Amino acid sequence: MNRTQYGYLIERIDSDTPEPMSRGHITVGADTTPAALAEELVQRNRGEHSYYSGPRRCSVWVFDPADWLDLRGAPDGAQHYDL
């Protein structure tokens, strides 16, 4: 089975300045779409951070270890999903 490794960043988006909530990387089946992955990650994040019920943005990108050098946000080319 082919697998793809994605990086992700989940942020609160209820103010002018997004606030990071979670960042990491995950390996999924190659048939998993970025949109489906974002939905799954946000659902998990809602459970882990139930104190916050507001909107979230999940940015997803094909993972490259060099991405971790810049922890300020998602790299260029990331796909963003507001959920």
Side-chain angles (χ1 to χ4, degrees):
M1 171 190 251
N2 290 336
R3 311 221 9 114
T4 302
Q5 191 170 37
Y6 286 101
Y8 65 89
L9 171 64
I10 299 173
E11 302 170 286
R12 293 174 58 149
I13 55 171
D14 56 350
S15 69
D16 291 337
T17 306
E19 181 181 325
M21 296 183 76
S22 180
R23 182 180 183 98
H25 58 89
I26 187 169
T27 302
V28 296
D31 59 339
T32 301
T33 66
L37 178 59
E39 179 71 33
E40 178 183 326
L41 291 168
V42 167
Q43 288 301 338
R44 185 183 320 166
N45 185 266
R46 288 187 188 284
E48 294 169 350
H49 299 276
S50 59
Y51 58 87
Y52 172 70
S53 60
R56 292 161 167 82
R57 173 171 296 134
C58 184
S59 301
V60 179
W61 60 92
V62 174
F63 180 73
D64 180 337
D67 295 338
W68 295 108
L69 299 176
D70 182 3
L71 298 178
R72 292 174 290 171
D76 291 341
Q79 296 180 44
H80 309 284
Y81 302 91
D82 292 348
L83 303 164

